[in-house]
Amino acid sequence: MADRKRHSISELALIGGASCLDLANTVEARRDDGPLEHLSDYGDLLVWAERSAVVGVATAKRLAEIASERPFGARVTIQRARELREDIYRVFRAIADGEEPLAGDLARLTAWWRADQGRRELVASGPGFLLRTLAGDGALDTVLWPVVSSAVELLTSDRLRRVRRCGDCDWLFIDDSRNGTRTWCGNECGNRARARRHYHALHRRT
C-alpha cells in the first residue's frame, strides 16, 4: 500500500510480546499484493535474534563467523527459520481469529517442540538438576530453539487468550491492555486505519 512505511530488519518494531510472535512478524504487509520479507539471509536472522534477545551479542558474533565459513548451512538455516515462522504464524493467526488451528499446523509445531526436547539432557547440578543443551552455541540453528520454546510456552499459558491480529497490518501481538480490546499492534497502524476511514467517509459524501 502506498501509505505504508517499509522498515529494515534493524528497525522493525518488536511488538509481539513474545519472541515467537516477533518472528511471525518478520513478514510485513501480509494482506498486500507484495508482502515484504525481512529474513533475506542468515545475517538478517542474527540481527533479529539479537534485537529480540533470543541470542546475546557474543553468540550472534560467533554465529556470524561460523555462517561465513558455512554458507550452505546458513542458507539451510534461514529456510528453516522461515518455515518455523510460517508454522507459528498459521497457528497463532487461527487462535487470534477465534478459530481452531489446523491439525497439520499443530503437528508441525509439535515436531519442532519434539526436536527441541531431543537436544537436551538432564544433568546433576549441586543438589538438583538442570537441562543441558547437547548442541553448542556453534550450531547455526541455535537461534531457532528459543523461539520454539516461546511458542510452546505461549500456547500453554493464560496469555494465549490475549493473542490478537492487527486489523491493519496483520501482525500478531499479545494484548496487554487492561480491557483487552486493542485492535491495532501500535499507533502507526491505528493512525493509518483512522485516516483511511476518514478518507472513505469524505468520499462517500461527494
Side-chain angles (χ1 to χ4, degrees):
M1 295 178 60
D3 59 348
R4 189 181 301 279
K5 179 184 177 182
R6 302 285 174 155
H7 302 88
S8 69
I9 191 66
S10 61
E11 64 180 3
L12 198 65
L14 302 174
I15 53 82
S19 64
C20 59
L21 301 186
D22 283 329
L23 180 66
N25 295 341
T26 56
V27 171
E28 208 170 352
R30 284 181 182 271
R31 299 187 190 205
D32 294 354
D33 292 336
L36 181 62
E37 171 64 73
H38 285 288
L39 298 182
S40 300
D41 54 33
Y42 190 77
D44 288 339
L45 180 61
L46 285 182
V47 169
W48 173 85
E50 186 180 332
R51 292 186 64 226
S52 303
V54 168
V55 297
V57 176
T59 298
K61 182 179 180 180
R62 182 164 58 253
L63 290 174
E65 294 171 352
I66 295 170
S68 67
E69 298 168 357
R70 296 164 51 192
F72 177 76
R75 289 194 296 271
V76 170
T77 303
I78 190 63
Q79 181 58 38
R80 295 188 70 211
R82 294 186 194 121
E83 291 170 358
L84 172 61
R85 177 189 65 196
E86 296 310 305
D87 290 339
I88 289 171
Y89 175 75
R90 285 191 296 269
V91 167
F92 285 101
R93 179 191 62 188
I95 291 168
D97 291 348
E99 302 171 356
E100 185 173 335
L102 295 177
D105 294 334
L106 276 178
R108 281 187 291 274
L109 203 49
T110 298
W112 283 102
W113 175 74
R114 286 176 176 162
D116 185 25
Q117 298 309 298
R119 299 170 56 256
R120 306 184 189 197
E121 64 177 358
L122 277 170
V123 295
S125 176
F129 295 83
L130 54 81
L131 279 172
R132 182 174 64 188
T133 301
L134 296 175
D137 285 344
L140 291 174
D141 63 1
T142 294
V143 296
L144 304 183
W145 305 112
V147 180
V148 174
S149 295
S150 169
V152 174
E153 288 168 6
L154 182 54
L155 283 169
T156 56
S157 75
D158 292 338
R159 303 173 78 204
L160 184 62
R161 61 186 178 85
R162 291 271 187 165
V163 173
R164 302 285 186 268
R165 181 158 67 120
C166 181
D168 183 72
C169 73
D170 215 31
W171 274 5
L172 299 170
F173 63 95
I174 296 172
D175 181 2
D176 55 4
S177 64
R178 178 173 297 181
N179 57 11
T181 57
R182 277 178 59 193
T183 303
W184 303 294
C185 64
N187 290 333
E188 183 178 330
C189 284
N191 292 338
R192 185 166 48 240
R194 284 187 286 269
R196 210 163 29 236
R197 281 204 306 269
H198 179 68
Y199 174 84
H200 290 312
L202 287 177
H203 277 259
R204 279 198 299 269
R205 297 171 189 166
T206 59

